[in-house]
Amino acid sequence: MATVNASKVMEERVLRLLDSLASDPSIDKRWLAVGRTHIEQGFMAVNRAVFQPQRVDLPNAIDGMKTVFMTGYACGMDCDRDTPFSPQAEAAWQAECEKVAR
């Protein structure tokens, strides 16, 4: 926790410098915004490296994933309207399941 707190203090110092630069009319505001975004992302990445957050398991995650995958996959396919998903989407889902099982 101390490492992240030190990181946040350093980030705040840098962001305050950028705030002071923003009031200078000779500074390109677009590039300043790009730089600020990258600095914020950099500090976020460092803090995540320290905390190492993990994904959580969700109940019925596979069923939910199948619905999302097949709905998105079926959007560009010629669907058989008598079934909820096209045969192509079902085959693609099965192929993905086999990859995960390996």
Side-chain angles (χ1 to χ4, degrees):
M1 187 65 128
T3 303
V4 171
N5 285 338
S7 173
K8 289 174 126 295
V9 168
M10 184 61 67
E11 178 184 13
E12 184 59 30
R13 288 182 179 153
V14 172
L15 293 178
R16 288 181 186 198
L17 170 66
L18 298 181
D19 290 342
S20 69
L21 289 174
S23 63
D24 183 341
S26 67
I27 298 291
D28 184 325
K29 303 302 188 274
R30 186 176 66 88
W31 279 112
L32 183 63
V34 169
R36 181 184 190 101
T37 299
H38 286 285
I39 288 169
E40 290 170 342
Q41 288 173 338
F43 277 102
M44 180 179 63
V46 168
N47 295 339
R48 288 180 67 88
V50 173
F51 282 127
Q52 299 178 23
Q54 303 294 314
R55 295 183 69 172
V56 298
D57 289 328
L58 299 175
N60 300 323
I62 294 296
D63 291 337
M65 189 172 77
K66 180 178 180 181
T67 300
V68 169
F69 174 83
M70 291 183 67
T71 301
Y73 192 85
C75 286
M77 306 301 288
D78 184 19
C79 293
D80 175 6
R81 299 296 174 200
D82 295 333
T83 59
F85 301 107
S86 70
Q88 296 95 335
E90 185 66 40
W93 170 251
Q94 292 302 325
E96 288 299 313
C97 287
E98 288 172 13
K99 284 184 202 173
V100 171
R102 290 183 209 149

